[in-house]
């Protein structure tokens, strides 16, 4: 059954055209037909997000904002901590994925988890109000990703924590101590993901490190389902608002 579900997702991803005049319409065109299978397939290759989420310093009465939350699956990694939180906000522009998130919340009876459909590069909870803000494989699908990070910074309290996991490629001349990817690897994965409007970027990690105090950063390369070579680059980042 898992293999059959994977084949259905791969068919939707590779054989169906993405349609729509707006970013929201294009997201639902892409995710709508595969929303019910999203978690099972993505869990196989969205590397580093579990490690990122489980490292976050959740405390009683914390406020957590998950931007580009998709189906809200990040909550499952810390399900035992969620009831202790004061409030959780799940924000995404894809109604089809948020529908799965609402079912998850209802099933878990998390009355303090709120689902919001909006553009995360413009939506804000307010200034200096959130303890934790996360982006889990969402920055690469946000056209104005730098605005989304700026909004997250404004929402965080001083000393608040941001967590990000995503695909990426390195700069031609990365900062000292940072990974450098071969040119053909960068070109291949940028082309591969661009078909689905996923934009791998050289500037995510440097931008995050300049806006926040780095607490933890992991850069890695791992395979994705049914493509054993080359391995796709990904990073997991935790930073603190200065």
């Amino acid at each position: 059954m898992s293999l059959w579900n994977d084949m259905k997702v791969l068919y939707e991803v590779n054989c169906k055209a993405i349609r729509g005049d707006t970013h929201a319409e294009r997201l639902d065109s892409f995710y709508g037909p595969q929303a019910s299978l999203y978690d099972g397939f993505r869990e196989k290759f969205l590397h580093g997000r579990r490690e990122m989420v489980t490292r976050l310093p959740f405390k009683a009465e914390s406020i957590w904002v998950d931007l580009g939350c998709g189906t809200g699956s990040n909550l499952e990694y810390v399900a035992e901590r969620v009831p202790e939180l004061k409030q959780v906000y799940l924000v995404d522009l894809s109604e089809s994925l948020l529908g799965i998130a609402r079912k998850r919340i209802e099933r878990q009876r998390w009355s303090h988890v709120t689902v919001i459909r909006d553009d995360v590069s413009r939506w804000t909870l307010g200034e200096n109000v959130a303890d934790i803000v996360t982006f889990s494989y969402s920055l690469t699908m946000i056209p104005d990703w730098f605005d989304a990070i700026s909004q997250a910074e404004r929402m965080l309290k001083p000393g608040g924590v941001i967590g990000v996991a995503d695909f990426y490629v390195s700069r031609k001349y990365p900062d000292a101590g940072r990974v450098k990817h071969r040119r053909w690897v960068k070109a291949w994965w940028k082309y591969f993901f661009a078909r689905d409007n996923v934009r791998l970027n050289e500037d995510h990690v440097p931008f995050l490190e300049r806006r926040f105090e780095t607490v933890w950063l992991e850069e890695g390369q791992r395979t994705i389902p049914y493509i054993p070579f080359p391995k796709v680059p990904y990073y997991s980042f935790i930073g603190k608002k200065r």
Side-chain angles (χ1 to χ4, degrees), residues 109-126:
R109 298 182 180 179
W110 287 330
S111 60
H112 61 312
V113 179
T114 302
V115 171
I116 298 169
R117 185 173 187 243
D118 211 329
D119 181 345
V120 301
S121 64
R122 295 178 173 82
W123 179 85
T124 183
L125 183 63

Side-chain angles (χ1 to χ4, degrees), residues 37-38 42 53 104 122 128 140 183 201 222 238:
L37 306 174
Y38 179 93
R42 273 17 181 235
V53 173
R104 185 189 310 280
R122 295 178 173 82
N128 303 320
T140 45
R183 183 164 57 184
N201 199 290
R222 294 175 65 179
I238 295 177

